[in-house]
Amino acid sequence: MNFLGYIGAIISVVAGVLGFVWPQRVSAVIGLRLPGLLGVSEFLATYGGLFIGGGAAVLVLQSGDAAAVLGCGWGGAFVARAISLVIDKSRSKENIVGLVIEAVVASLLLFA
């Protein structure tokens, strides 16, 4: 695995830590509302734990295969968001920024 994989993994971990530590703030920045405790738990699990776990796995395993799996996850998010942009016509600033971030992180990890 090359340095691109480490950068993508670190971005994943940092995003996860931010989502886990400040769920209300991060959810507001990305345009989500957290309805009740279940919403907060879901946000912590997905935007926190999943990102931290995936990024940490790449850093611990130091494997191109692990980076590829995490990269495919980011790539899947990119594809789903791109489809939403077309079908739902959901072209908010947050959605465009999310699309760019997902493309960049997926590329870093997939080219690792």
Side-chain angles (χ1 to χ4, degrees), residues 63-79:
S63 160
D65 289 342
V69 170
L70 185 56
C72 285
W74 281 95
F78 169 84
V79 169

Side-chain angles (χ1 to χ4, degrees), residues 10-107:
I10 290 168
I11 291 170
S12 298
V13 170
V14 169
V17 169
L18 292 174
F20 189 81
V21 174
W22 294 297
Q24 298 291 347
R25 237 185 245 171
V26 172
S27 65
V29 167
I30 62 176
L32 294 176
R33 286 188 313 191
L34 301 179
L37 295 178
L38 181 58
V40 173
S41 292
E42 196 63 34
F43 196 88
L44 292 176
T46 304
Y47 287 90
L50 191 62
F51 284 15
I52 293 168
V58 172
L59 295 172
V60 169
L61 296 172
Q62 299 181 7
S63 160
D65 289 342
V69 170
L70 185 56
C72 285
W74 281 95
F78 169 84
V79 169
R81 189 181 304 271
I83 290 170
S84 176
L85 284 169
V86 173
I87 292 174
D88 303 327
K89 296 178 176 53
S90 179
R91 296 185 182 102
S92 68
K93 175 183 70 173
E94 294 85 0
N95 241 355
I96 300 298
V97 170
L99 189 73
V100 170
I101 290 169
E102 289 155 357
V104 168
V105 178
S107 296

